[in-house]
C-alpha cells in the first residue's frame, strides 16, 4: 500500500535513502524490545492493548468533545477555544536530514522559529518516512497520535476518516481561518483532493511547488566521448546502455561499467514508458483495469528482463533494498544512466566531487510502441494535513496554518535573509548551497502549507554564482519544463477509495513485487509473469475489487478530470 | 516447620506437605508470616496481570469488526468471520506452511547445535581457551539483526562476497544465495545458528556443571573413554534440560522471529520467506486490518499452546520432568 500510493511521492523519498535507512533502523530497534515475544504480533498486541487501557480513559473525553463541537453554539465554542492554550502537536516526516549540530526534528532552530513567530506552540512528533504506515497506525490505535497528521498518502486520509480517527475541517476553516480560506478560494482545484466521499473536507493542503517528479540523468561526457547522440526512444536507450557497457566510457581500461543505476524510480519510470504503472488503475474502453492487465505491462517486464540479462543493470539489485549500491555506482562514476528524480542534489554533487569533469544531461521522454508518455506528473496537492478527532484547540491549528501560508513558509523555504539568501529582482538567491543544505533544507518539511512555485526560471534564478549550482539548476529546469510540455497518462488522480481494494492492496503488492523480481532475474516470459500476477490477484478477490472500483468510477468519473 | 517453609517456597517440591489438610486459618497465618516474601512477589504479579492478562482482553477484536472510533467494546461482533476469511485464503496456508517448514529446519539443525557445541566446549581442558571461545561465540547474539542482515548480504554477495570468492577458488560459479529460493532457507538456518548457538550453550553448560564429578571418575576407573563418558554420563545428565528446552521450542513452532526474517527477506524469495510474523506485520500494522491480524495471532497462539501441551505430555511419558 505504502509503495503504491507513495509512488506519487518518490520525489522526496528516494533522494534520502540514507535517511530512510536510519529511520528504519531506529524503528526496528524500537521494535527490538519485544523480541522475546512474537515480535510483530506483540507490537500489534501492544498497540491494541494500549487502546484497551486508554479507551477507558479517553473515550469519555472525546465523546463529550465531539458533542460539544456538534451542539455548542459557534460563539460559545469560539470563546471556549480562545481560552485554551495555543498549543498543538503535529507529525513531521523524519528523513534523518537534521545534522547533529542542528539538533533534532523535535527541537531545532526552525521549530523555535515557528514557536516564537506563529503564536502557536507546536510539539512535533517525528514519523520515520519509510515506515509511516505502521508508525501512524500504531500511534492512532494506541490513542497517541499527534493532533495534526501530515502525510502524502491520500489513502491514509480516507482510511482514517472511515475509522473515525480524524474529523472534517470545513467548519474550522469557515470559523477561524482567513489566509488559508482565501488561498483555498484562489485554488479551487485543490478541493477534490481534500474532500472525501461524504462531501466534507478532511485535510489541509497547498499546491505542490512543482508537479515534476521522476527523471533519468545521463552522462553527457560519456555520450560525447563515444560519439553517441541522446536517446529518444527506449530502444535507443538500450543501445546507448550497451555501448556504455562495452566501450569503456570512463577510460579506465576495464570493462567495469554497469550502465544503469536504479533508485525507487526505476520501476516507476520503466512502467510509465508503457503507461502501466505497477499497482495503479487504468481505464481502457470505459473499463477499469489494474495496470498489469492492460496488455502494455508485458513490455515493461520485457525491458527489465532484458536489462538484467544484458547486464545493463546491477545483477544484485534484489538484495539492494535501500538502493545504496545503486547510488554508489552512480556517484563513483561506474554507471552512466541514473533513474532518479528532480530532487537529486546530493547524489549529483557527490558525483561531481568524485569526478569533477562529469557532465550531465536529462533524458527527454522516450518513445515506445505505445507512443511517448511524459515523466510522472504529480497530483496538484502537496502534504495533506488532517485533524485528529481529539484535537484540543482547532483555533490554534488553524492559526498555525494561516501563519504558515502567510509568511511562515518563506523562511522555512529560503532561510534567513542575509545569512542564507539575498533578494535579487524579487527572487531569493541562495548564497552558499552547502550551508543552505545543512541549515535550511530540512526546514521545508515543516511547511504544512506553502506558496513556493518552482518554475524553470525561478529555479535557475535562485541558484547562486557557483557553476555547479547553476548546472544543477539547469538540469532541474529541464525536468520541470519536460513535465509541463509532455502529457503523462494517469487515469485516476488518486487511489479509488474502495475498501474492497485497499484491504487487499498491501498483500497484492507483496505478490507482484515478487513476480516482478523473479521475472527480471529469470527467463520466464512476460506473459507467464502476468498470468502469475493475475492468479495472485484473483486469489485475493481481485475480481470483486475491480467491480467495486468500476462502480465507483462510473459514479465519479465526471469529477475525476 | 522451617523445612516445610523452605519446601513451600520451592513450589513443586512441597507435594508431601500439601497432602496434610490445612485449615484456612493456618494458611492465612502462613501468608502473614511470609508477608515480606509476598511483597516481593507483587511487582512480578502486577507485571503479569497488566501486561499479559489484561491485554488478553484485546484478543476479542479477533471476533469483531474493530473500528477505532467504536473502540474494543463498541465494535460490532462478527463471530468467526475473520477466521473464515483466513482459512479460505491461499496466502494464509502458504504463510503457515513456510513458518512450519522453517521451524522444522530449526528443530532439526539449529536446536541440536548448542548441545553439540556445549559438549565440545565441555571437553576443552585449557580454561583460557574455553573462555575465549565462549566469549567469541556469544558475541553475535548481541548484534541486532539489522546489522547481521547487512553483514550476511555482503558476505554472500556474488560479486564482492567472501563466500563466493572462496567458492571461486574451487572453481564454483558465484551463487546468488540471497535470491535463490533453495539457498535462502539454508542461509536463514545457518544465520540462526551463527547468531544464537553460542548463547544457547550457556544453559547446557550450567546443566553439565551440575553433574557429579564422581560419576566421571568412576567411569574412568571402569575404563570408559571420552566418548563413552559423554554418551553415558554427560548426555543423560542434561537430558532433563534438553527436554524442557524442547517443550519451550515447540511453543514457538508457529513463530519465526520477525526481525530475522524481515532483514534477510527480499522480493525475489518472498514465496519461501513470507511467514506468519511478516504476514501479521503487513496486514495488521501496514494495512491496519487489526481484527484479521489479531485472528492470525490468536490462531498462532492457540496452536502453540496445543503443541506445548502435547509435547509436555509426551516428554513426561518418557520419564522426564517436563514443564509442570
Amino acid at each position: 500500500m505504502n509503495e503504491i500510493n507513495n509512488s506519487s511521492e518518490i520525489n522526496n523519498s528516494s533522494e534520502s535513502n540514507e535517511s530512510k535507512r536510519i529511520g528504519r533502523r531506529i524503528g526496528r530497534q524500537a521494535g527490538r524490545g519485544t523480541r522475546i515475544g512474537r515480535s510483530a504480533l506483540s507490537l500489534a498486541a501492544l498497540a491494541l492493548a494500549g487502546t484497551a487501557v486508554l479507551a477507558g480513559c479517553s473515550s469519555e473525553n472525546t465523546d463529550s468533545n465531539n458533542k460539544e463541537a456538534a451542539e455548542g453554539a459557534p460563539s460559545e465554542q469560539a470563546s471556549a477555544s480562545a481560552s485554551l492554550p495555543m498549543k498543538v502537536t503535529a507529525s513531521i516526516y523524519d528523513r534523518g536530514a537534521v545534522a547533529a549540530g542542528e539538533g533534532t526534528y523535535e527541537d531545532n532552530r526552525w521549530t523555535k522559529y515557528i514557536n516564537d513567530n506563529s503564536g502557536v506552540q507546536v510539539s512535533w512528533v517525528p514519523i520515520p518516512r519509510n515506515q509511516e504506515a505502521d508508525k501512524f497506525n500504531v500511534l492512532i490505535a494506541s490513542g497517541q497520535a499527534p493532533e495534526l497528521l501530515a502525510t502524502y498518502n491520500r489513502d491514509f486520509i480516507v482510511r482514517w476518516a472511515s475509522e473515525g480517527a480524524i474529523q472534517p475541517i470545513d467548519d474550522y476553516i469557515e470559523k477561524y481561518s482567513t489566509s488559508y480560506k482565501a488561498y483555498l478560494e484562489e485554488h479551487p482545484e485543490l478541493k477534490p483532493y481534500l474532500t472525501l466521499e461524504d462531501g466534507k473536507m478532511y485535510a489541509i493542503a497547498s499546491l505542490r511547488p512543482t508537479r515534476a517528479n521522476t527523471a533519468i540523468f545521463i552522462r553527457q561526457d560519456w555520450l560525447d566521448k563515444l560519439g553517441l547522440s541522446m536517446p529518444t526512444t527506449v530502444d535507443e536507450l538500450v543501445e546507448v546502455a550497451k555501448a556504455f557497457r562495452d566501450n569503456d566510457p570512463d577510460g579506465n581500461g576495464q570493462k567495469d561499467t554497469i550502465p544503469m543505476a536504479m533508485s525507487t524510480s526505476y520501476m516507476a519510470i520503466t512502467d510509465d514508458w508503457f503507461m502501466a504503472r505497477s499497482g495503479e488503475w487504468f481505464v481502457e474502453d470505459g473499463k477499469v483495469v489494474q495496470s498489469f492487465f492492460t496488455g502494455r505491462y508485458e513490455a515493461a517486464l520485457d525491458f527489465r528482463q532484458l536489462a538484467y540479462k544484458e547486464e545493463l543493470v546491477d545483477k544484485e539489485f534484489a538484495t539492494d533494498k535501500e538502493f545504496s549500491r545503486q547510488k554508489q555506482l552512480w556517484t563513483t562514476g561506474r554507471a552512466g544512466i541514473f533513474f532518479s528524480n528532480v530532487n537529486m542534489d546530493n547524489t549529483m554533487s557527490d558525483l561531481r566531487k568524485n569526478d569533477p569533469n562529469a557532465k550531465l544531461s536529462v533524458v527527454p521522454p522516450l518513445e515506445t510502441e505505445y507512443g511517448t508518455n511524459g515523466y510522472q506528473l504529480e497530483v496538484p496537492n502537496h502534504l495533506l494535513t488532517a485533524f485528529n478527532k481529539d484535537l484540543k484547540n482547532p483555533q490554534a491549528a488553524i492559526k498555525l496554518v494561516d501563519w504558515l501560508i502567510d509568511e511562515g513558509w518563506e523562511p522555512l523555504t529560503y532561510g534567513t535573509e542575509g545569512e542564507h539568501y539575498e533578494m535579487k529582482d524579487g527572487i531569493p538567491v541562495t548564497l552558499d548551497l552547502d550551508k543552505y543544505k545543512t541549515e535550511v533544507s530540512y526546514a521545508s518539511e515543516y511547511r504544512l502549507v506553502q506558496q513556493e512555485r518552482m518554475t524553470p526560471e525561478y529555479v535557475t534564478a535562485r541558484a547562486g554564482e557557483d557553476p555547479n549550482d547553476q548546472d544543477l539548476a539547469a538540469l532541474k529546469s529541464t525536468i520541470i519544463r519536460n513535465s509541463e510540455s509532455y502529457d503523462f497518462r494517469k487515469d485516476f488522480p488518486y487511489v479509488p477509495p474502495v475498501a474492497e481494494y485497499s484491504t487487499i492492496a498491501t498483500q497484492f503488492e507483496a505478490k507482484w513485487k515478487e513476480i516482478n523480481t523473479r521475472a527480471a532475474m529469470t527467463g520466464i516470459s512476460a506473459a507467464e509473469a502476468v498470468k502469475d500476477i493475475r492468479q495472485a490477484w484473483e486469489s485475493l478477490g481481485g475480481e470483486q475489487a475491480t467491480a467495486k472500483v468500476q462502480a465507483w468510477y462510473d459514479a465519479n468519473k465526471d469529477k475525476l478530470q | 516447620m522451617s523445612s516445610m517453609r523452605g519446601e513451600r517456597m520451592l513450589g513443586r517440591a512441597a507435594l508431601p506437605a500439601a497432602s496434610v489438610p490445612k485449615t484456612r486459618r493456618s494458611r492465612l497465618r502462613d501468608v502473614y508470616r511470609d508477608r515480606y516474601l509476598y511483597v516481593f512477589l507483587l511487582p512480578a504479579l502486577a507485571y503479569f496481570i497488566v501486561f499479559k492478562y489484561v491485554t488478553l482482553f484485546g484478543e476479542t477484536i479477533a471476533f469483531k469488526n474493530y473500528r477505532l472510533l467504536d473502540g474494543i467494546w463498541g465494535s460490532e461482533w462478527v463471530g468467526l468471520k475473520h477466521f473464515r476469511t483466513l482459512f479460505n485464503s491461499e496466502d494464509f496456508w502458504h504463510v503457515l506452511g513456510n513458518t512450519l517448514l522453517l521451524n522444522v529446519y530449526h528443530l532439526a539443525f539449529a536446536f541440536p547445535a548448542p548441545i553439540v557445541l556445549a559438549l565440545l566446549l565441555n571437553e576443552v581442558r585449557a580454561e583460557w581457551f574455553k573462555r575465549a571461545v565462549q566469549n567469541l561465540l556469544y558475541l553475535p547474539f548481541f548484534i541486532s539483526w539489522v546489522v547481521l542482515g547487512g553483514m550476511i548480504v555482503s558476505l554472500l554477495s556474488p560479486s564482492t562476497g567472501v563466500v563466493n570468492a572462496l567458492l571461486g577458488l574451487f572453481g564454483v560459479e558465484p551463487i546468488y544465495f540471497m535470491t535463490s529460493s533453495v539457498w535462502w532457507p539454508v542461509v536463514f538456518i545457518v544465520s540462526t545458528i551463527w547468531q544464537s548457538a553460542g548463547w544457547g550453550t550457556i544453559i547446557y553448560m550450567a546443566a553439565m556443571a551440575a553433574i557429579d564429578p564422581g560419576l566421571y571418575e568412576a567411569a574412568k576407573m571402569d575404563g570408559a573413554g571420552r566418548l563413552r563418558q559423554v554418551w553415558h554420563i554427560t548426555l543423560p545428565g542434561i537430558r532433563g534440560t534438553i527436554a524442557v528446552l524442547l517443550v519451550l521450542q515447540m511453543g514457538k513452532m508457529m513463530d519465526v522471529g520477525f526481525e530475522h526474517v524481515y532483514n534477510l527477506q527480499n522480493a525475489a524469495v518472498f514465496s519461501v520467506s513470507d511467514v506468519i510474523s511478516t504476514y501479521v506485520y503487513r496486514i495488521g500494522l501496514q494495512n491496519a486490518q487489526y481484527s484479521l491480524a489479531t485472528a492470525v495471532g490468536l490462531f498462532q497462539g492457540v496452536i502453540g499452546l496445543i503443541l506445548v501441551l502435547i509435547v509436555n505430555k509426551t516428554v513426561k511419558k518418557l520419564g522426564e520432568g517436563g514443564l509442570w
Side-chain angles (χ1 to χ4, degrees):
Chain A
M1 181 97 287
N2 209 352
E3 281 294 322
I4 303 179
N5 301 312
N6 285 355
S7 54
S8 64
E9 209 259 321
I10 284 168
N11 201 347
N12 296 300
S13 57
S14 67
E15 177 61 24
S16 52
N17 283 329
E18 192 65 33
S19 62
K20 276 194 294 190
R21 201 161 44 240
I22 293 166
R24 199 178 266 186
R25 195 168 294 164
I26 293 167
R28 281 190 208 138
Q29 267 159 1
R32 216 181 135 69
T34 58
R35 182 156 185 264
I36 301 160
R38 289 152 272 157
S39 223
L41 181 70
S42 41
L43 258 179
L46 202 70
L48 301 171
T51 353
V53 177
L54 292 172
C57 337
S58 62
S59 65
E60 232 173 296
N61 284 337
T62 50
D63 284 351
S64 59
N65 274 354
N66 287 348
K67 225 171 274 169
E68 264 169 42
E71 291 167 8
S75 61
E76 255 173 62
Q77 205 196 343
S79 62
S81 200
S83 64
L84 286 169
M86 292 304 259
K87 278 186 183 165
V88 70
T89 58
S91 74
I92 179 81
Y93 278 136
D94 182 345
R95 299 181 203 262
V98 180
E102 286 289 299
T104 61
Y105 272 101
E106 292 97 321
D107 184 19
N108 56 56
R109 69 173 83 203
W110 298 109
T111 59
K112 286 193 195 94
Y113 180 85
I114 294 168
N115 288 346
D116 292 345
N117 293 280
S118 66
V120 183
Q121 295 292 311
V122 193
S123 315
W124 299 94
V125 179
I127 306 285
R129 177 64 191 96
N130 218 31
Q131 286 190 306
E132 61 166 342
D134 22 329
K135 184 76 179 180
F136 273 129
N137 282 337
V138 168
L139 287 175
I140 290 173
S142 60
Q144 297 170 32
E147 293 175 314
L148 302 183
L149 301 153
T151 177
Y152 286 107
N153 192 338
R154 187 178 187 273
D155 209 38
F156 287 178
I157 305 284
V158 175
R159 184 179 295 155
W160 295 338
S162 75
E163 289 264 315
I166 57 173
Q167 51 178 326
I169 55 174
D170 308 69
D171 290 351
Y172 298 140
I173 294 178
E174 195 53 43
K175 235 175 276 166
Y176 304 126
S177 178
T178 50
S179 308
Y180 181 72
K181 195 164 133 190
Y183 179 85
L184 207 53
E185 273 157 19
E186 271 170 50
H187 300 285
E189 68 269 33
L190 277 170
K191 281 207 171 149
Y193 296 89
L194 311 176
T195 311
L196 299 189
E197 302 292 282
D198 62 1
K200 292 179 188 148
M201 263 199 292
Y202 280 86
I204 275 174
S206 53
L207 292 175
R208 264 176 197 274
T210 168
R211 295 181 67 185
N213 187 334
T214 53
I216 306 176
F217 299 95
I218 194 163
R219 290 285 295 265
Q220 185 65 47
D221 50 333
W222 289 11
L223 284 178
D224 295 344
K225 186 175 171 194
L226 303 182
L228 301 162
S229 52
M230 177 67 85
T232 57
T233 69
V234 170
D235 295 336
E236 284 173 24
L237 184 80
V238 171
E239 291 314 310
V240 167
K242 284 181 181 165
F244 281 179
R245 180 193 62 192
D246 297 331
N247 300 336
D248 189 26
D250 54 355
N252 67 352
Q254 285 169 332
K255 201 184 156 188
D256 63 349
T257 302
I258 295 174
M260 308 199 290
M262 305 180 188
S263 72
T264 44
S265 303
Y266 177 71
M267 274 276 273
I269 293 173
T270 49
D271 282 347
D272 286 345
W273 284 338
F274 307 100
M275 302 171 213
R277 172 73 72 90
S278 300
E280 290 199 357
W281 291 94
F282 286 84
V283 182
E284 308 276 317
D285 304 326
K287 294 276 166 236
V288 302
V289 61
Q290 276 275 309
S291 54
F292 309 106
F293 316 126
T294 53
R296 298 185 298 271
Y297 195 75
E298 282 87 341
L301 286 166
D302 282 337
F303 173 85
R304 289 192 284 264
Q305 194 177 58
L306 176 83
Y308 188 84
K309 206 169 66 193
E310 292 284 337
E311 309 200 2
L312 306 179
V313 293
D314 178 22
K315 289 229 146 185
E316 287 171 55
F317 78 93
T319 38
D320 189 15
K321 287 192 278 187
E322 317 283 352
F323 299 100
S324 51
R325 271 175 74 100
Q326 307 296 321
K327 209 156 120 185
Q328 207 184 354
L329 286 175
W330 173 251
T331 54
T332 55
R334 282 188 63 202
I337 301 165
F338 188 30
F339 289 78
S340 181
N341 58 54
V342 64
N343 289 332
M344 49 18 183
D345 307 32
N346 287 331
T347 34
M348 296 299 148
S349 30
D350 286 351
L351 171 62
R352 283 284 171 76
K353 266 174 218 152
N354 289 328
D355 185 354
N357 298 322
K359 205 165 152 269
L360 302 173
S361 288
V362 172
V363 178
L366 299 174
E367 198 188 321
T368 71
E369 57 197 293
Y370 301 106
T372 307
N373 196 18
Y375 287 96
Q376 180 177 338
L377 194 64
E378 282 287 2
V379 289
N381 66 285
H382 207 215
L383 205 56
L384 294 156
T385 304
F387 286 18
N388 192 321
K389 69 172 167 43
D390 298 333
L391 173 65
K392 284 199 197 68
N393 189 350
Q395 206 177 349
I398 295 287
K399 191 171 175 186
L400 175 69
V401 169
D402 271 4
W403 175 77
L404 280 168
I405 196 98
D406 262 347
E407 46 174 312
W409 69 274
E410 282 178 307
L412 293 174
T413 310
Y414 309 124
T416 314
E417 185 161 12
E419 199 182 337
H420 301 110
Y421 71 92
E422 231 166 52
M423 292 303 279
K424 272 184 199 155
D425 306 327
I427 286 184
V429 177
T430 304
L431 290 173
D432 177 347
L433 191 60
D434 281 334
K435 186 178 162 75
Y436 172 86
K437 271 191 207 153
T438 325
E439 297 181 358
V440 186
S441 62
Y442 70 86
S444 62
E445 211 80 60
Y446 294 92
R447 304 176 307 179
L448 301 176
V449 288
Q450 41 71 30
Q451 303 205 44
E452 187 186 13
R453 298 264 64 82
M454 279 168 71
T455 61
E457 300 73 31
Y458 163 88
V459 169
T460 320
R462 268 204 68 193
E465 305 289 314
D466 188 81
N468 263 347
D469 303 355
Q470 288 284 356
D471 281 357
L472 287 182
L475 291 170
K476 267 191 191 176
S477 315
T478 314
I479 296 168
I480 295 170
R481 212 168 279 129
N482 281 344
S483 80
E484 287 164 356
S485 47
Y486 287 86
D487 279 337
F488 171 70
R489 179 165 174 190
K490 192 172 170 78
D491 296 355
F492 284 84
Y494 44 81
V495 183
V498 172
E500 283 77 3
Y501 172 61
S502 51
T503 50
I504 59 172
T506 316
Q507 192 61 15
F508 182 50
E509 185 190 355
K511 298 267 178 153
W512 60 251
K513 277 198 171 155
E514 183 200 9
I515 295 165
N516 250 288
T517 314
R518 219 175 50 220
M521 294 174 62
T522 61
I524 70 166
S525 74
E528 278 172 77
V530 168
K531 213 175 90 195
D532 287 352
I533 297 177
R534 187 182 288 280
Q535 202 201 340
W537 175 244
E538 279 167 10
S539 82
L540 285 165
E543 291 304 301
Q544 265 169 288
T546 308
K548 295 280 181 180
V549 171
Q550 181 74 50
W552 182 84
Y553 172 74
D554 291 338
N556 292 282
K557 60 182 160 200
D558 302 333
K559 286 195 283 178
L560 291 179
Q561 293 324 312
Chain B
M1 198 65 199
S2 70
S3 76
M4 266 179 64
R5 181 171 159 192
E7 275 167 4
R8 204 172 306 112
M9 282 163 63
L10 288 173
R12 185 157 22 143
L15 275 178
S19 61
V20 180
K22 277 206 154 218
T23 62
R24 169 175 285 200
R25 212 182 149 76
S26 72
R27 231 175 259 262
L28 278 177
R29 216 174 28 232
D30 283 358
V31 170
Y32 179 75
R33 189 196 54 211
D34 297 337
R35 59 189 176 280
Y36 296 116
L37 295 178
Y38 283 102
V39 170
F40 281 127
L41 186 66
L42 278 181
L45 273 183
Y47 167 82
F48 276 101
I49 290 169
V50 172
F51 291 107
K52 303 283 169 188
Y53 287 92
V54 172
T55 55
L56 279 180
F57 159 78
E59 298 282 348
T60 50
I61 67 169
F63 308 96
K64 292 182 157 203
N65 245 348
Y66 179 64
R67 271 186 81 223
L68 277 174
L69 189 65
D70 302 330
I72 293 180
W73 274 140
S75 295
E76 151 208 20
W77 289 98
V78 293
L80 296 175
K81 178 182 159 217
H82 297 298
F83 291 91
R84 267 197 294 273
T85 314
L86 267 190
F87 299 146
N88 284 328
S89 101
E90 279 173 39
D91 286 334
F92 174 71
W93 295 110
H94 181 76
V95 162
L96 185 64
N98 282 341
T99 310
L100 288 174
L101 198 62
L102 285 179
N103 271 307
V104 168
Y105 293 153
H106 183 104
L107 214 55
F109 301 105
F111 183 74
I115 303 176
V116 174
L117 212 53
L119 288 174
L120 291 173
L121 279 172
N122 198 40
E123 298 303 318
V124 173
R125 283 286 161 267
E127 199 60 25
W128 65 268
F129 180 69
K130 186 170 159 182
R131 287 198 188 283
V133 169
Q134 269 180 307
N135 282 328
L136 283 177
L137 287 173
Y138 296 163
L139 216 56
F141 185 78
F142 297 101
I143 306 176
S144 142
W145 274 116
V146 182
V147 180
L148 285 179
M151 287 167 71
I152 290 166
V153 168
S154 43
L155 284 175
L156 297 178
S157 154
S159 61
T160 53
V162 180
V163 175
N164 274 305
L166 287 175
L167 289 177
L169 294 179
F170 299 100
V172 182
E173 284 288 304
I175 304 169
Y176 199 174
F177 293 99
M178 297 305 288
T179 56
S180 146
S181 49
V182 178
W183 281 108
W184 192 87
V186 177
V187 173
F188 183 82
I189 294 301
V190 171
S191 63
T192 309
I193 296 175
W194 178 37
Q195 196 244 6
S196 59
W199 184 252
T201 58
I202 291 183
I203 206 154
Y204 293 113
M205 299 288 285
M208 287 173 192
I211 298 172
D212 181 3
L215 291 175
Y216 291 105
E217 277 158 31
K220 254 183 249 168
M221 296 279 216
D222 292 342
R226 274 287 172 81
L227 279 178
R228 285 266 153 216
Q229 287 176 35
V230 167
W231 186 250
H232 290 291
I233 302 172
T234 319
L235 271 179
I238 60 170
R239 206 166 62 173
T241 313
I242 296 176
V244 168
L245 289 180
L246 183 69
V247 175
L248 290 177
Q249 182 57 43
M250 289 314 286
K252 295 189 204 148
M253 271 311 268
M254 297 289 287
D255 177 36
V256 176
F258 174 75
E259 272 179 87
H260 188 178
V261 178
Y262 189 76
N263 284 300
L264 291 186
Q265 215 174 33
N266 60 65
V269 289
F270 181 72
S271 61
V272 294
S273 67
D274 194 24
V275 293
I276 290 185
S277 53
T278 48
Y279 182 69
V280 167
Y281 170 75
R282 213 166 39 247
I283 62 174
L285 289 188
Q286 294 200 305
N287 216 20
Q289 289 169 273
Y290 302 113
S291 290
L292 193 60
T294 311
V296 182
L298 190 60
F299 174 77
Q300 185 187 23
V302 168
I303 301 291
L305 180 67
I306 294 173
L307 283 173
V308 168
L309 290 174
I310 294 174
V311 176
N312 193 48
K313 199 131 215 174
T314 320
V315 162
K316 277 174 115 168
K317 281 244 167 69
L318 293 174
E320 296 300 331
L323 275 184
W324 60 88

